[in-house]
Amino acid sequence: QVQLVESGGGSVQTGGSLRLSCVASGNRFSRAIMSWYRQTPGNLRDLVAFITADGRTNHVDSVKGRFTISRDNAKNTVYLEMNSLKPEDTAIYYCRYNNNELYWGQGTQVTVSS
């Protein structure tokens, strides 16, 4: 069982920045593909970005150039640096752990006001 604990969400104005963190338990973090998803009421959970075990990253088009996913294997932590935030970025953000088993964090709310 892997526990994921997200933090760093909050309320900011348009153009602001936030840094989300997700700490994983266990000793297999370095081998996992880590992802950030987001979800708004009534909608499916959508992928935002992922980072592979060897550090390759992918960001969806809507956040490219504004968001950056990274990881620190020594701290079992994945980050999502979010800059130039827009109201449409408002959502609950979840991290996901994938190492042949899938685990989700509890989510952290991000609210961007205009």
Side-chain angles (χ1 to χ4, degrees), residues 5-81:
V5 179
E6 297 121 333
S7 61
S11 296
V12 297
Q13 292 188 327
T14 297
S17 299
L18 287 171
R19 188 194 198 199
L20 306 184
S21 300
C22 173
V23 181
S25 64
N27 58 7
R28 299 181 180 179
F29 175 83
S30 64
R31 307 175 200 173
I33 299 171
M34 298 299 299
S35 307
W36 285 98
Y37 283 72
R38 63 187 180 187
Q39 187 173 26
T40 54
N43 293 308
L44 298 174
R45 203 169 286 186
D46 293 326
L47 176 67
V48 176
F50 69 83
I51 184 167
T52 65
D54 60 359
R56 288 175 291 130
T57 64
N58 188 68
H59 302 75
V60 297
D61 286 346
S62 60
V63 307
K64 279 181 180 176
R66 300 188 300 120
F67 292 10
T68 303
I69 190 170
S70 62
R71 67 191 299 161
D72 184 339
N73 290 336
K75 296 182 178 180
N76 273 22
T77 302
V78 62
Y79 303 97
L80 187 67
E81 185 76 35

